[in-house]
mmCIF file of all heavy atoms in Angstrom:
data_model
loop_
_atom_site.group_PDB
_atom_site.id
_atom_site.type_symbol
_atom_site.label_atom_id
_atom_site.label_comp_id
_atom_site.label_asym_id
_atom_site.label_seq_id
_atom_site.Cartn_x
_atom_site.Cartn_y
_atom_site.Cartn_z
ATOM 1 N N ALA A 1154 0.862 -1.225 0.035
ATOM 2 C CA ALA A 1154 0.019 0.007 -0.005
ATOM 3 C C ALA A 1154 0.862 1.247 0.005
ATOM 4 O O ALA A 1154 0.552 2.211 -0.760
ATOM 5 C CB ALA A 1154 -0.908 -0.006 1.186
ATOM 6 N N ASP A 1155 1.938 1.217 0.811
ATOM 7 C CA ASP A 1155 2.870 2.340 0.857
ATOM 8 C C ASP A 1155 3.488 2.651 -0.501
ATOM 9 O O ASP A 1155 3.593 3.745 -0.980
ATOM 10 C CB ASP A 1155 3.889 2.153 1.875
ATOM 11 C CG ASP A 1155 4.788 3.315 2.153
ATOM 12 O OD1 ASP A 1155 4.312 4.418 2.292
ATOM 13 O OD2 ASP A 1155 6.061 3.144 2.107
ATOM 14 N N ILE A 1156 3.939 1.598 -1.164
ATOM 15 C CA ILE A 1156 4.593 1.724 -2.513
ATOM 16 C C ILE A 1156 3.601 2.300 -3.510
ATOM 17 O O ILE A 1156 3.972 3.209 -4.305
ATOM 18 C CB ILE A 1156 5.018 0.275 -2.989
ATOM 19 C CG1 ILE A 1156 6.219 -0.190 -2.101
ATOM 20 C CG2 ILE A 1156 5.416 0.397 -4.509
ATOM 21 C CD1 ILE A 1156 6.514 -1.673 -2.348
ATOM 22 N N LEU A 1157 2.353 1.899 -3.451
ATOM 23 C CA LEU A 1157 1.372 2.257 -4.435
ATOM 24 C C LEU A 1157 0.698 3.608 -4.049
ATOM 25 O O LEU A 1157 -0.057 4.159 -4.790
ATOM 26 C CB LEU A 1157 0.265 1.267 -4.576
ATOM 27 C CG LEU A 1157 0.770 -0.094 -5.193
ATOM 28 C CD1 LEU A 1157 -0.354 -1.096 -5.140
ATOM 29 C CD2 LEU A 1157 1.287 0.102 -6.598
ATOM 30 N N GLY A 1158 0.902 4.062 -2.810
ATOM 31 C CA GLY A 1158 0.292 5.344 -2.337
ATOM 32 C C GLY A 1158 -1.198 5.081 -2.034
ATOM 33 O O GLY A 1158 -2.004 5.974 -2.182
ATOM 34 N N LEU A 1159 -1.501 3.927 -1.454
ATOM 35 C CA LEU A 1159 -2.903 3.584 -1.137
ATOM 36 C C LEU A 1159 -2.950 3.141 0.312
ATOM 37 O O LEU A 1159 -1.926 2.997 1.000
ATOM 38 C CB LEU A 1159 -3.393 2.448 -2.012
ATOM 39 C CG LEU A 1159 -3.421 2.724 -3.507
ATOM 40 C CD1 LEU A 1159 -3.585 1.430 -4.271
ATOM 41 C CD2 LEU A 1159 -4.477 3.747 -3.829
ATOM 42 N N GLU A 1160 -4.176 2.942 0.827
ATOM 43 C CA GLU A 1160 -4.293 2.365 2.178
ATOM 44 C C GLU A 1160 -4.199 0.834 2.137
ATOM 45 O O GLU A 1160 -4.510 0.250 1.182
ATOM 46 C CB GLU A 1160 -5.754 2.689 2.685
ATOM 47 C CG GLU A 1160 -5.971 4.213 2.946
ATOM 48 C CD GLU A 1160 -5.128 4.812 4.019
ATOM 49 O OE1 GLU A 1160 -4.923 4.092 5.033
ATOM 50 O OE2 GLU A 1160 -4.531 5.865 3.784
ATOM 51 N N PRO A 1161 -3.653 0.270 3.214
ATOM 52 C CA PRO A 1161 -3.591 -1.198 3.270
ATOM 53 C C PRO A 1161 -4.952 -1.848 3.353
ATOM 54 O O PRO A 1161 -5.918 -1.184 3.791
ATOM 55 C CB PRO A 1161 -2.737 -1.496 4.514
ATOM 56 C CG PRO A 1161 -2.806 -0.240 5.335
ATOM 57 C CD PRO A 1161 -3.052 0.847 4.416
ATOM 58 N N GLY A 1162 -5.004 -3.118 3.021
ATOM 59 C CA GLY A 1162 -6.300 -3.855 3.112
ATOM 60 C C GLY A 1162 -6.942 -3.857 1.781
ATOM 61 O O GLY A 1162 -6.399 -3.571 0.737
ATOM 62 N N PRO A 1163 -8.228 -4.287 1.751
ATOM 63 C CA PRO A 1163 -9.019 -4.366 0.478
ATOM 64 C C PRO A 1163 -9.418 -2.928 0.077
ATOM 65 O O PRO A 1163 -10.444 -2.438 0.617
ATOM 66 C CB PRO A 1163 -10.185 -5.253 0.829
ATOM 67 C CG PRO A 1163 -10.341 -5.125 2.274
ATOM 68 C CD PRO A 1163 -9.019 -4.825 2.853
ATOM 69 N N VAL A 1164 -8.737 -2.353 -0.867
ATOM 70 C CA VAL A 1164 -9.061 -0.945 -1.166
ATOM 71 C C VAL A 1164 -9.590 -0.637 -2.526
ATOM 72 O O VAL A 1164 -10.183 0.381 -2.770
ATOM 73 C CB VAL A 1164 -7.784 -0.032 -0.958
ATOM 74 C CG1 VAL A 1164 -7.431 -0.025 0.444
ATOM 75 C CG2 VAL A 1164 -6.653 -0.560 -1.814
ATOM 76 N N MET A 1165 -9.342 -1.526 -3.506
ATOM 77 C CA MET A 1165 -9.864 -1.287 -4.847
ATOM 78 C C MET A 1165 -9.934 -2.637 -5.639
ATOM 79 O O MET A 1165 -9.395 -3.652 -5.185
ATOM 80 C CB MET A 1165 -9.023 -0.297 -5.579
ATOM 81 C CG MET A 1165 -7.598 -0.767 -5.907
ATOM 82 S SD MET A 1165 -6.568 0.378 -6.948
ATOM 83 C CE MET A 1165 -7.183 2.041 -6.526
ATOM 84 N N THR A 1166 -10.600 -2.556 -6.754
ATOM 85 C CA THR A 1166 -10.632 -3.745 -7.577
ATOM 86 C C THR A 1166 -9.326 -3.820 -8.451
ATOM 87 O O THR A 1166 -8.631 -2.868 -8.589
ATOM 88 C CB THR A 1166 -11.836 -3.649 -8.586
ATOM 89 O OG1 THR A 1166 -11.627 -2.639 -9.484
ATOM 90 C CG2 THR A 1166 -13.133 -3.552 -7.846
ATOM 91 N N TRP A 1167 -9.052 -5.034 -8.935
ATOM 92 C CA TRP A 1167 -7.914 -5.238 -9.811
ATOM 93 C C TRP A 1167 -8.052 -4.385 -11.095
ATOM 94 O O TRP A 1167 -7.142 -3.871 -11.579
ATOM 95 C CB TRP A 1167 -7.782 -6.743 -10.154
ATOM 96 C CG TRP A 1167 -6.726 -7.032 -11.136
ATOM 97 C CD1 TRP A 1167 -6.947 -7.724 -12.326
ATOM 98 C CD2 TRP A 1167 -5.373 -6.675 -11.119
ATOM 99 N NE1 TRP A 1167 -5.754 -7.847 -12.980
ATOM 100 C CE2 TRP A 1167 -4.746 -7.167 -12.295
ATOM 101 C CE3 TRP A 1167 -4.541 -5.940 -10.208
ATOM 102 C CZ2 TRP A 1167 -3.358 -7.012 -12.630
ATOM 103 C CZ3 TRP A 1167 -3.182 -5.778 -10.542
ATOM 104 C CH2 TRP A 1167 -2.603 -6.325 -11.709
ATOM 105 N N THR A 1168 -9.345 -4.266 -11.566
ATOM 106 C CA THR A 1168 -9.580 -3.462 -12.710
ATOM 107 C C THR A 1168 -9.203 -1.992 -12.490
ATOM 108 O O THR A 1168 -8.480 -1.401 -13.304
ATOM 109 C CB THR A 1168 -11.112 -3.524 -13.067
ATOM 110 O OG1 THR A 1168 -11.443 -4.905 -13.304
ATOM 111 C CG2 THR A 1168 -11.468 -2.657 -14.333
ATOM 112 N N ASP A 1169 -9.573 -1.468 -11.288
ATOM 113 C CA ASP A 1169 -9.177 -0.099 -10.955
ATOM 114 C C ASP A 1169 -7.660 0.040 -10.758
ATOM 115 O O ASP A 1169 -6.995 1.027 -11.087
ATOM 116 C CB ASP A 1169 -9.917 0.356 -9.680
ATOM 117 C CG ASP A 1169 -11.369 0.589 -9.926
ATOM 118 O OD1 ASP A 1169 -11.760 0.803 -11.105
ATOM 119 O OD2 ASP A 1169 -12.095 0.496 -8.945
ATOM 120 N N MET A 1170 -7.027 -0.994 -10.133
ATOM 121 C CA MET A 1170 -5.623 -0.995 -9.888
ATOM 122 C C MET A 1170 -4.836 -0.940 -11.223
ATOM 123 O O MET A 1170 -3.860 -0.228 -11.330
ATOM 124 C CB MET A 1170 -5.201 -2.171 -9.040
ATOM 125 C CG MET A 1170 -3.852 -1.971 -8.373
ATOM 126 S SD MET A 1170 -3.739 -3.240 -7.057
ATOM 127 C CE MET A 1170 -2.047 -3.757 -7.323
ATOM 128 N N ARG A 1171 -5.289 -1.694 -12.169
ATOM 129 C CA ARG A 1171 -4.644 -1.727 -13.538
ATOM 130 C C ARG A 1171 -4.651 -0.308 -14.153
ATOM 131 O O ARG A 1171 -3.740 0.071 -14.869
ATOM 132 C CB ARG A 1171 -5.273 -2.700 -14.485
ATOM 133 C CG ARG A 1171 -4.873 -4.075 -14.243
ATOM 134 C CD ARG A 1171 -5.298 -5.008 -15.461
ATOM 135 N NE ARG A 1171 -6.621 -4.793 -15.913
ATOM 136 C CZ ARG A 1171 -7.642 -5.548 -15.623
ATOM 137 N NH1 ARG A 1171 -7.494 -6.626 -14.895
ATOM 138 N NH2 ARG A 1171 -8.878 -5.302 -16.142
ATOM 139 N N ALA A 1172 -5.684 0.489 -13.812
ATOM 140 C CA ALA A 1172 -5.810 1.775 -14.338
ATOM 141 C C ALA A 1172 -4.696 2.780 -13.772
ATOM 142 O O ALA A 1172 -4.375 3.781 -14.428
ATOM 143 C CB ALA A 1172 -7.141 2.421 -14.001
ATOM 144 N N LEU A 1173 -4.024 2.353 -12.686
ATOM 145 C CA LEU A 1173 -2.890 3.143 -12.197
ATOM 146 C C LEU A 1173 -1.657 2.994 -13.093
ATOM 147 O O LEU A 1173 -0.763 3.831 -13.096
ATOM 148 C CB LEU A 1173 -2.549 2.728 -10.760
ATOM 149 C CG LEU A 1173 -3.584 2.821 -9.680
ATOM 150 C CD1 LEU A 1173 -3.088 2.353 -8.370
ATOM 151 C CD2 LEU A 1173 -4.037 4.291 -9.590
ATOM 152 N N ILE A 1174 -1.655 1.908 -13.864
ATOM 153 C CA ILE A 1174 -0.420 1.654 -14.729
ATOM 154 C C ILE A 1174 -0.423 2.656 -15.855
ATOM 155 O O ILE A 1174 -1.519 2.896 -16.433
ATOM 156 C CB ILE A 1174 -0.471 0.205 -15.255
ATOM 157 C CG1 ILE A 1174 -0.413 -0.823 -14.146
ATOM 158 C CG2 ILE A 1174 0.703 0.004 -16.191
ATOM 159 C CD1 ILE A 1174 -0.632 -2.275 -14.537
ATOM 160 N N LEU A 1175 0.746 3.255 -16.093
ATOM 161 C CA LEU A 1175 0.859 4.222 -17.146
ATOM 162 C C LEU A 1175 0.438 3.606 -18.512
ATOM 163 O O LEU A 1175 0.833 2.389 -18.745
ATOM 164 C CB LEU A 1175 2.204 4.851 -17.207
ATOM 165 C CG LEU A 1175 2.645 5.682 -15.973
ATOM 166 C CD1 LEU A 1175 4.007 6.366 -16.280
ATOM 167 C CD2 LEU A 1175 1.643 6.752 -15.629
ATOM 168 N N GLU A 1176 -0.241 4.333 -19.338
ATOM 169 C CA GLU A 1176 -0.672 3.823 -20.597
ATOM 170 C C GLU A 1176 0.358 3.119 -21.448
ATOM 171 O O GLU A 1176 0.107 2.040 -21.956
ATOM 172 C CB GLU A 1176 -1.306 4.967 -21.408
ATOM 173 C CG GLU A 1176 -1.972 4.572 -22.737
ATOM 174 C CD GLU A 1176 -3.159 3.658 -22.457
ATOM 175 O OE1 GLU A 1176 -3.938 3.828 -21.569
ATOM 176 O OE2 GLU A 1176 -3.311 2.719 -23.296
ATOM 177 N N PRO A 1177 1.655 3.657 -21.548
ATOM 178 C CA PRO A 1177 2.627 2.998 -22.346
ATOM 179 C C PRO A 1177 3.004 1.574 -21.827
ATOM 180 O O PRO A 1177 3.486 0.795 -22.636
ATOM 181 C CB PRO A 1177 3.855 3.914 -22.359
ATOM 182 C CG PRO A 1177 3.351 5.194 -21.906
ATOM 183 C CD PRO A 1177 2.103 4.988 -21.100
ATOM 184 N N ASP A 1178 2.784 1.336 -20.547
ATOM 185 C CA ASP A 1178 3.137 0.014 -19.951
ATOM 186 C C ASP A 1178 1.963 -0.891 -19.784
ATOM 187 O O ASP A 1178 2.162 -2.103 -19.560
ATOM 188 C CB ASP A 1178 3.839 0.220 -18.566
ATOM 189 C CG ASP A 1178 5.059 1.180 -18.640
ATOM 190 O OD1 ASP A 1178 5.569 1.374 -19.709
ATOM 191 O OD2 ASP A 1178 5.458 1.643 -17.563
ATOM 192 N N ARG A 1179 0.775 -0.385 -19.803
ATOM 193 C CA ARG A 1179 -0.393 -1.120 -19.443
ATOM 194 C C ARG A 1179 -0.696 -2.378 -20.302
ATOM 195 O O ARG A 1179 -0.924 -3.441 -19.791
ATOM 196 C CB ARG A 1179 -1.657 -0.248 -19.457
ATOM 197 C CG ARG A 1179 -2.875 -0.847 -18.816
ATOM 198 C CD ARG A 1179 -4.042 0.115 -18.775
ATOM 199 N NE ARG A 1179 -3.656 1.270 -17.987
ATOM 200 C CZ ARG A 1179 -4.109 2.509 -18.301
ATOM 201 N NH1 ARG A 1179 -4.839 2.719 -19.361
ATOM 202 N NH2 ARG A 1179 -3.710 3.555 -17.577
ATOM 203 N N GLU A 1180 -0.635 -2.203 -21.596
ATOM 204 C CA GLU A 1180 -0.914 -3.347 -22.513
ATOM 205 C C GLU A 1180 0.057 -4.513 -22.305
ATOM 206 O O GLU A 1180 -0.328 -5.681 -22.243
ATOM 207 C CB GLU A 1180 -0.883 -2.873 -23.952
ATOM 208 C CG GLU A 1180 -1.407 -3.910 -24.962
ATOM 209 C CD GLU A 1180 -1.497 -3.336 -26.314
ATOM 210 O OE1 GLU A 1180 -2.019 -2.180 -26.500
ATOM 211 O OE2 GLU A 1180 -1.005 -4.018 -27.288
ATOM 212 N N LEU A 1181 1.353 -4.194 -22.224
ATOM 213 C CA LEU A 1181 2.377 -5.229 -22.087
ATOM 214 C C LEU A 1181 2.147 -5.911 -20.677
ATOM 215 O O LEU A 1181 2.213 -7.174 -20.622
ATOM 216 C CB LEU A 1181 3.818 -4.636 -22.151
ATOM 217 C CG LEU A 1181 4.906 -5.662 -21.874
ATOM 218 C CD1 LEU A 1181 4.916 -6.789 -22.884
ATOM 219 C CD2 LEU A 1181 6.271 -4.961 -21.838
ATOM 220 N N ALA A 1182 1.948 -5.147 -19.652
ATOM 221 C CA ALA A 1182 1.766 -5.783 -18.308
ATOM 222 C C ALA A 1182 0.583 -6.669 -18.293
ATOM 223 O O ALA A 1182 0.604 -7.831 -17.769
ATOM 224 C CB ALA A 1182 1.584 -4.665 -17.264
ATOM 225 N N GLN A 1183 -0.528 -6.289 -18.933
ATOM 226 C CA GLN A 1183 -1.750 -7.115 -18.934
ATOM 227 C C GLN A 1183 -1.498 -8.348 -19.765
ATOM 228 O O GLN A 1183 -1.949 -9.444 -19.385
ATOM 229 C CB GLN A 1183 -2.922 -6.317 -19.473
ATOM 230 C CG GLN A 1183 -4.223 -7.115 -19.494
ATOM 231 C CD GLN A 1183 -5.417 -6.267 -19.514
ATOM 232 O OE1 GLN A 1183 -5.373 -5.107 -19.277
ATOM 233 N NE2 GLN A 1183 -6.576 -6.921 -19.812
ATOM 234 N N ALA A 1184 -0.822 -8.206 -20.873
ATOM 235 C CA ALA A 1184 -0.460 -9.411 -21.737
ATOM 236 C C ALA A 1184 0.343 -10.419 -20.990
ATOM 237 O O ALA A 1184 0.094 -11.659 -21.115
ATOM 238 C CB ALA A 1184 0.199 -8.954 -23.012
ATOM 239 N N ILE A 1185 1.323 -9.950 -20.226
ATOM 240 C CA ILE A 1185 2.138 -10.856 -19.460
ATOM 241 C C ILE A 1185 1.386 -11.632 -18.440
ATOM 242 O O ILE A 1185 1.470 -12.846 -18.275
ATOM 243 C CB ILE A 1185 3.371 -10.132 -18.872
ATOM 244 C CG1 ILE A 1185 4.364 -9.706 -20.006
ATOM 245 C CG2 ILE A 1185 4.108 -10.960 -17.737
ATOM 246 C CD1 ILE A 1185 5.461 -8.754 -19.529
ATOM 247 N N VAL A 1186 0.505 -10.883 -17.710
ATOM 248 C CA VAL A 1186 -0.291 -11.531 -16.619
ATOM 249 C C VAL A 1186 -1.293 -12.516 -17.285
ATOM 250 O O VAL A 1186 -1.471 -13.627 -16.765
ATOM 251 C CB VAL A 1186 -1.028 -10.445 -15.815
ATOM 252 C CG1 VAL A 1186 -2.024 -11.117 -14.864
ATOM 253 C CG2 VAL A 1186 0.031 -9.631 -15.011
ATOM 254 N N GLU A 1187 -1.917 -12.116 -18.358
ATOM 255 C CA GLU A 1187 -2.917 -13.007 -18.971
ATOM 256 C C GLU A 1187 -2.236 -14.246 -19.558
ATOM 257 O O GLU A 1187 -2.848 -15.354 -19.465
ATOM 258 C CB GLU A 1187 -3.654 -12.282 -20.109
ATOM 259 C CG GLU A 1187 -4.642 -11.234 -19.547
ATOM 260 C CD GLU A 1187 -5.357 -10.406 -20.649
ATOM 261 O OE1 GLU A 1187 -5.005 -10.582 -21.838
ATOM 262 O OE2 GLU A 1187 -6.206 -9.603 -20.299
ATOM 263 N N ALA A 1188 -1.032 -14.124 -20.087
ATOM 264 C CA ALA A 1188 -0.317 -15.338 -20.568
ATOM 265 C C ALA A 1188 0.034 -16.278 -19.411
ATOM 266 O O ALA A 1188 -0.097 -17.492 -19.574
ATOM 267 C CB ALA A 1188 0.908 -14.919 -21.304
ATOM 268 N N SER A 1189 0.381 -15.717 -18.248
ATOM 269 C CA SER A 1189 0.646 -16.584 -17.098
ATOM 270 C C SER A 1189 -0.609 -17.251 -16.571
ATOM 271 O O SER A 1189 -0.542 -18.438 -16.130
ATOM 272 C CB SER A 1189 1.323 -15.746 -15.970
ATOM 273 O OG SER A 1189 0.378 -15.059 -15.214
ATOM 274 N N LEU A 1190 -1.747 -16.588 -16.715
ATOM 275 C CA LEU A 1190 -3.008 -17.265 -16.307
ATOM 276 C C LEU A 1190 -3.328 -18.399 -17.258
ATOM 277 O O LEU A 1190 -3.716 -19.538 -16.767
ATOM 278 C CB LEU A 1190 -4.154 -16.226 -16.348
ATOM 279 C CG LEU A 1190 -4.147 -15.173 -15.329
ATOM 280 C CD1 LEU A 1190 -5.246 -14.117 -15.636
ATOM 281 C CD2 LEU A 1190 -4.336 -15.763 -13.909
ATOM 282 N N GLU A 1191 -3.093 -18.273 -18.518
ATOM 283 C CA GLU A 1191 -3.393 -19.313 -19.478
ATOM 284 C C GLU A 1191 -2.435 -20.540 -19.235
ATOM 285 O O GLU A 1191 -2.861 -21.662 -19.310
ATOM 286 C CB GLU A 1191 -3.283 -18.790 -20.882
ATOM 287 C CG GLU A 1191 -4.371 -17.944 -21.313
ATOM 288 C CD GLU A 1191 -4.156 -17.379 -22.684
ATOM 289 O OE1 GLU A 1191 -3.444 -17.947 -23.541
ATOM 290 O OE2 GLU A 1191 -4.711 -16.286 -23.047
ATOM 291 N N ARG A 1192 -1.168 -20.216 -19.020
ATOM 292 C CA ARG A 1192 -0.179 -21.321 -18.825
ATOM 293 C C ARG A 1192 -0.197 -21.811 -17.370
ATOM 294 O O ARG A 1192 0.480 -22.787 -17.036
ATOM 295 C CB ARG A 1192 1.214 -20.726 -19.071
ATOM 296 C CG ARG A 1192 1.469 -20.359 -20.527
ATOM 297 C CD ARG A 1192 2.914 -19.991 -20.770
ATOM 298 N NE ARG A 1192 3.612 -19.357 -19.632
ATOM 299 C CZ ARG A 1192 3.784 -18.077 -19.440
ATOM 300 N NH1 ARG A 1192 3.185 -17.233 -20.251
ATOM 301 N NH2 ARG A 1192 4.449 -17.607 -18.365
ATOM 302 N N LYS A 1193 -0.883 -21.121 -16.480
ATOM 303 C CA LYS A 1193 -0.876 -21.491 -15.028
ATOM 304 C C LYS A 1193 0.585 -21.517 -14.527
ATOM 305 O O LYS A 1193 1.049 -22.490 -13.877
ATOM 306 C CB LYS A 1193 -1.558 -22.779 -14.747
ATOM 307 C CG LYS A 1193 -3.033 -22.727 -15.125
ATOM 308 C CD LYS A 1193 -3.742 -23.988 -14.757
ATOM 309 C CE LYS A 1193 -5.218 -23.797 -15.184
ATOM 310 N NZ LYS A 1193 -5.968 -25.001 -15.078
#
């Protein structure tokens, strides 16, 4: 939470958290996570 500038605990959805990622990095970060989900 300190790193992200948020409160600790359950504070936001993963969808909202992804919106914090800067636009130039967002698509690549999402693709990497989605690929790991598919491959488990």
Side-chain angles (χ1 to χ4, degrees):
D1155 185 51
I1156 292 167
L1157 298 173
L1159 300 167
E1160 294 296 318
V1164 294
M1165 66 176 30
T1166 67
W1167 173 236
T1168 303
D1169 291 336
M1170 198 163 136
R1171 279 195 317 259
L1173 299 177
I1174 300 173
L1175 296 186
E1176 186 65 39
D1178 301 343
R1179 192 176 300 143
E1180 189 174 312
L1181 176 62
Q1183 184 159 344
I1185 289 171
V1186 171
E1187 286 176 358
S1189 81
L1190 289 172
E1191 288 176 22
R1192 294 186 330 267
K1193 297 183 180 172

